[in-house]
Amino acid sequence: MGIVVQKYGGSSVADAAGIKRVAQRIVATKRAGHEVVVVVSAMGDSTDDLIELAKEVSPLPQDRELDMLLTAGERISMALVAMAIANSGHEARSFTGSQAGVITDNAHGKAKIIDVTPGRIEKALGQGYIAIVAGFQGVSQDSKDVTTLGRGGSDTTAVALAAALNADVCEIFTDVDGVFTADPRIVPTARQLPKVSYEEMLELAACGAKILHLRCVEYARRYNIPIHVRSSFSAREGSWINSKVDEMEQAIISGVAHDRSEAKVTVVGVPDKVGEAARIFETLSEAEINLDMIVQNISAASTGRTDISFTLPRTDGQTAMTALSRLKGEVGYEQLLYDDGIGKVSLVGAGMRSHPGISAKFFAALAGAGVNIEMISTSEIRISVIVEEGMVDNAVAAAHDAFDLAGDEIEAVVYGGTGR
Ligand code: ADP
Ligand code: ASP
Ligand code: MG
């Protein structure tokens, strides 16, 4: 039997009882004859707690030190899981990201994996150990400093290791039974999807469905690693994310995703001249900010000026505003506005390609729920809107309803976690 990589998220290892429960599942997989590599996240909400602690000490902690602090969270769980496994009669060895050979670039807080050299993991497996790896962390190739992969990054550690070890499957254990048509915390009638294509899962993850980290899905698609998302609290079958879902099985809409992690910046009164947008976006790119939606209005003839709005991660808001305010003299815009009271709601479905009228139905559903649309963007298989943050839940529920996505079985179960 081959190698199985299992990842347990924070809510699955939230306390001692959770750690013991997870250890039993790991041991059962080992007893079934597999070589087992386990990736763990920090316990419960401890990453958030560490971030808050850092901010109490310093309003703008240095990236390097913040990574050093946050990686401690995963180190705690990896050691405890190894101890719990030992207690049930099997031998486990825990490894930090660096020891497991997770090599990244130097972008603290959002590092990209550039190589995985899991020599020590292979050796441990060869000696009959269960290998436990701290998720979400790596080591910079250049500086040799400890890095983190961005919030939710343990999923990516798991898939990257699965690819490097040529594992049969990467199992992502979490606090819900799989991937649903919407976040079950918002829509209790959401239906579990037994199979999701990489393509659709990529859009859902990119639109904020935090059940899987975006880069983990990108990685899985590139290396063709099947992902099995399932609950560590139940024995249900879960959801499979793999290469192609048969066209015949493809629903028009596979789900509704939402995201409350973005903010909107508006540059008001930009002179309508060649090169102004380029100047603004070059500045943001130099500051290494990833933008999401961009909207530019047609300039008003009377003023010869236009407004440019874009969305970005809230965590980059301060950096973006500082960089843009330095441009004021050069570009000659009138005003800079920042709004972090927004949310994004997206409708995703591969069948959208061949079905007209989806946007009309989506926007009508939002109107019916009294939701005002601030921005719109589309891809071939997605429509996203920016709405007021307080309206996100209503918007998700209305869209889910309008496209008849609810399941007719039991309500979706949320087994743990705080949804933070
Ligand atoms: P973990 O701690 O296991 O990494 P996360 O909190 O990162 O768990 O991800 C699981 C959560 O993702 C669920 O509890 C659920 O609230 C949320 N979620 C968002 N969208 C979806 C979806 N489409 N299907 C299932 N869960 C979703
Ligand atoms: N502990 C990290 C976080 O909370 C990584 C993860 O859970 O995947 O973002
Ligand atoms: Mg997660």
Side-chain angles (χ1 to χ4, degrees):
M1 297 223 178
I3 298 179
V4 171
V5 175
Q6 299 187 326
K7 177 257 171 177
Y8 293 91
S11 45
S12 299
V13 293
D15 51 20
I19 286 174
K20 287 197 212 162
R21 186 171 41 82
V22 157
Q24 278 171 10
R25 208 182 255 271
I26 297 166
V27 166
T29 314
K30 172 79 177 162
R31 289 215 175 111
H34 299 282
E35 294 193 280
V36 191
V37 177
V38 175
V39 173
V40 286
S41 292
M43 295 171 71
D45 288 335
S46 59
T47 307
D48 295 283
D49 298 340
L50 290 172
I51 293 173
E52 271 158 32
L53 190 58
K55 293 213 166 125
E56 277 177 41
V57 174
S58 156
L60 268 182
Q62 301 97 307
D63 294 346
R64 179 186 183 277
E65 302 311 325
L66 193 58
D67 276 359
M68 200 63 112
L69 177 71
L70 298 188
T71 49
E74 270 67 14
R75 256 179 111 131
I76 293 172
S77 1
M78 77 181 193
L80 291 172
V81 169
M83 290 174 197
I85 291 173
N87 194 47
S88 54
H90 275 264
E91 286 196 87
R93 283 275 178 279
S94 66
F95 299 91
T96 64
S98 167
Q99 290 174 324
V102 180
I103 318 279
T104 71
D105 62 15
N106 199 30
H108 284 290
K110 50 183 171 190
K112 285 207 178 73
I113 297 178
I114 48 186
D115 197 10
V116 182
T117 51
R120 292 190 67 177
I121 305 295
E122 284 163 335
K123 190 164 170 217
L125 293 178
Q127 292 168 335
Y129 291 112
I130 295 169
I132 317 291
V133 179
F136 169 64
Q137 55 181 265
V139 60
S140 157
Q141 192 168 48
D142 299 336
S143 67
K144 308 289 180 239
D145 281 331
V146 167
T147 53
T148 61
L149 310 178
R151 299 305 307 274
S154 298
D155 299 337
T156 302
T157 307
V159 170
L161 273 171
L165 294 165
N166 214 355
D168 293 342
V169 61
C170 181
E171 296 185 305
I172 304 282
F173 284 95
T174 184
D175 52 17
V176 290
D177 281 312
V179 179
F180 285 78
T181 48
D183 186 341
R185 286 177 205 272
I186 296 190
V187 185
T189 56
R191 181 169 43 88
Q192 197 200 316
L193 301 166
K195 287 194 231 167
V196 190
S197 65
Y198 287 129
E199 189 191 25
E200 284 170 302
M201 197 61 233
L202 272 176
E203 289 281 6
L204 287 168
C207 293
K210 72 172 183 133
I211 183 78
L212 287 176
H213 193 230
L214 173 59
R215 251 185 264 132
C216 128
V217 190
E218 286 170 351
Y219 225 98
R221 178 166 73 165
R222 187 167 348 130
Y223 294 97
N224 210 13
I225 308 288
I227 304 180
H228 190 182
V229 182
R230 49 200 306 203
S231 167
S232 73
F233 299 80
S234 82
R236 295 223 183 134
E237 170 57 23
S239 302
W240 283 91
I241 290 95
N242 45 31
S243 49
K244 287 251 163 179
V245 170
D246 193 331
E247 287 227 341
M248 295 296 291
E249 296 173 23
Q250 218 147 52
I252 300 175
I253 303 300
S254 47
V256 186
H258 71 280
D259 189 350
R260 290 183 228 263
S261 68
E262 293 192 346
K264 181 174 77 170
V265 172
T266 305
V267 193
V268 181
V270 181
D272 192 7
K273 286 196 309 225
V274 172
E276 298 292 54
R279 199 62 209 97
I280 288 171
F281 291 107
E282 267 162 20
T283 302
L284 294 166
S285 143
E286 279 155 22
E288 291 189 41
I289 294 168
N290 290 321
L291 304 180
D292 183 17
M293 291 190 198
I294 301 175
V295 171
Q296 176 178 333
N297 294 332
I298 298 172
S299 63
S302 54
T303 61
R305 286 176 182 268
T306 182
D307 296 346
I308 297 179
S309 295
F310 59 85
T311 61
L312 76 176
R314 280 181 203 175
T315 45
D316 287 335
Q318 179 86 43
T319 317
M321 292 298 277
T322 311
L324 289 176
S325 52
R326 281 200 219 105
L327 270 188
K328 186 155 199 233
E330 193 185 321
V331 171
Y333 63 78
E334 287 163 355
Q335 212 189 341
L336 209 50
L337 303 175
Y338 182 72
D339 181 3
D340 60 7
I342 59 151
K344 183 169 73 170
V345 177
S346 309
L347 194 63
V348 174
M352 232 183 245
R353 280 194 185 98
S354 48
H355 277 80
I358 303 289
S359 339
K361 193 166 169 183
F362 181 32
F363 300 156
L366 296 176
V371 179
N372 184 41
I373 301 173
E374 298 183 21
M375 284 164 102
I376 299 173
S377 89
T378 59
S379 85
E380 251 197 318
I381 67 163
R382 171 188 56 82
I383 309 167
S384 302
V385 295
I386 297 292
V387 301
E388 193 188 300
E389 188 176 7
M391 294 305 265
V392 167
D393 288 13
N394 290 353
V396 171
H400 197 267
D401 223 35
F403 289 92
D404 281 331
L405 298 177
D408 34 30
E409 306 155 38
I410 31 157
E411 289 210 333
V413 186
V414 178
Y415 297 93
T418 57
R420 241 171 118 176

XYZ file of all heavy atoms in Angstrom, residues 36 65 70 93-94 122 129 133 152 156 194 229 285 312 342 354 358:
130
model
N 2.195 6.659 6.537
C 1.383 7.842 6.833
C 2.240 9.076 7.128
O 3.139 9.036 7.966
C 0.444 7.578 8.041
C -0.570 8.705 8.165
C -0.257 6.246 7.910
N 9.693 38.444 12.265
C 9.427 38.032 13.646
C 8.019 37.453 13.781
O 7.789 36.538 14.556
C 9.636 39.206 14.607
C 11.035 39.811 14.547
C 12.154 38.756 14.624
O 12.001 37.743 15.339
O 13.181 38.946 13.934
N 4.357 32.871 14.635
C 3.215 32.063 14.195
C 3.584 30.596 13.965
O 2.783 29.704 14.210
C 2.597 32.643 12.917
C 2.016 34.055 13.037
C 1.261 34.419 11.775
C 1.114 34.179 14.251
N 7.435 10.639 14.528
C 8.493 11.645 14.618
C 7.922 12.943 14.065
O 7.334 12.953 12.970
C 9.678 11.266 13.716
C 10.556 10.190 14.269
C 11.599 10.811 15.211
N 12.460 9.801 15.817
C 12.126 9.060 16.875
N 10.939 9.186 17.424
N 12.974 8.184 17.375
N 8.097 14.024 14.791
C 7.584 15.301 14.269
C 8.712 16.110 13.629
O 9.875 15.982 14.017
C 6.910 16.094 15.387
O 7.851 16.472 16.353
N 11.156 10.769 4.210
C 11.290 9.454 3.581
C 12.075 8.497 4.487
O 11.721 7.330 4.629
C 11.986 9.598 2.223
C 11.042 10.156 1.169
C 11.758 10.708 -0.054
O 12.939 11.110 0.049
O 11.114 10.752 -1.123
N 8.344 4.837 11.009
C 7.672 5.876 11.795
C 6.501 6.486 11.026
O 6.476 6.494 9.796
C 8.631 7.035 12.096
C 9.737 6.684 13.051
C 11.065 6.624 12.613
C 9.459 6.434 14.388
C 12.092 6.313 13.488
C 10.487 6.127 15.276
C 11.787 6.064 14.820
O 12.794 5.766 15.689
N 4.227 16.554 10.336
C 4.881 17.764 9.824
C 4.074 19.002 10.210
O 2.838 19.010 10.098
C 5.008 17.694 8.279
C 5.665 18.956 7.720
C 5.796 16.458 7.856
N -4.344 29.710 6.359
C -4.923 28.506 5.765
C -3.910 27.656 5.013
O -4.264 26.679 4.354
N -1.812 23.617 1.818
C -0.799 23.647 0.754
C 0.419 22.801 1.133
O 0.960 22.073 0.296
C -0.410 25.103 0.438
O -1.604 25.787 0.050
C 0.598 25.186 -0.686
N -20.266 15.600 -3.864
C -19.404 14.418 -3.796
C -18.125 14.564 -4.619
O -17.072 14.077 -4.229
C -20.274 13.285 -4.350
C -21.515 13.905 -4.869
C -21.561 15.344 -4.486
N -11.532 15.747 0.783
C -11.895 16.624 1.907
C -12.937 15.906 2.760
O -13.977 15.485 2.234
C -12.503 17.955 1.409
C -12.834 18.862 2.593
C -11.567 18.666 0.448
N 2.108 47.300 -7.542
C 2.858 46.090 -7.836
C 4.241 46.134 -7.180
O 4.712 45.138 -6.640
C 2.925 45.918 -9.353
O 4.157 45.411 -9.743
N -8.452 44.595 -2.552
C -7.171 43.990 -2.184
C -7.334 43.346 -0.813
O -8.323 43.608 -0.131
C -6.069 45.056 -2.170
C -6.011 46.037 -0.994
C -4.797 46.915 -1.133
C -7.228 46.883 -0.845
N -16.582 45.836 3.398
C -17.173 45.199 2.211
C -17.015 43.681 2.276
O -16.254 43.168 3.083
C -16.491 45.678 0.905
C -14.987 45.346 0.937
C -16.723 47.150 0.661
C -14.391 45.116 -0.419
N -22.219 27.735 -20.866
C -23.174 27.473 -21.928
C -24.595 27.862 -21.554
O -25.538 27.448 -22.207
C -23.103 25.991 -22.293
O -23.140 25.240 -21.111
N -27.559 33.771 -16.444
C -27.183 33.481 -15.056
C -26.989 34.794 -14.272
O -27.471 34.924 -13.150
C -25.874 32.639 -14.994
C -26.039 31.339 -15.790
C -25.473 32.361 -13.549
C -26.953 30.325 -15.174
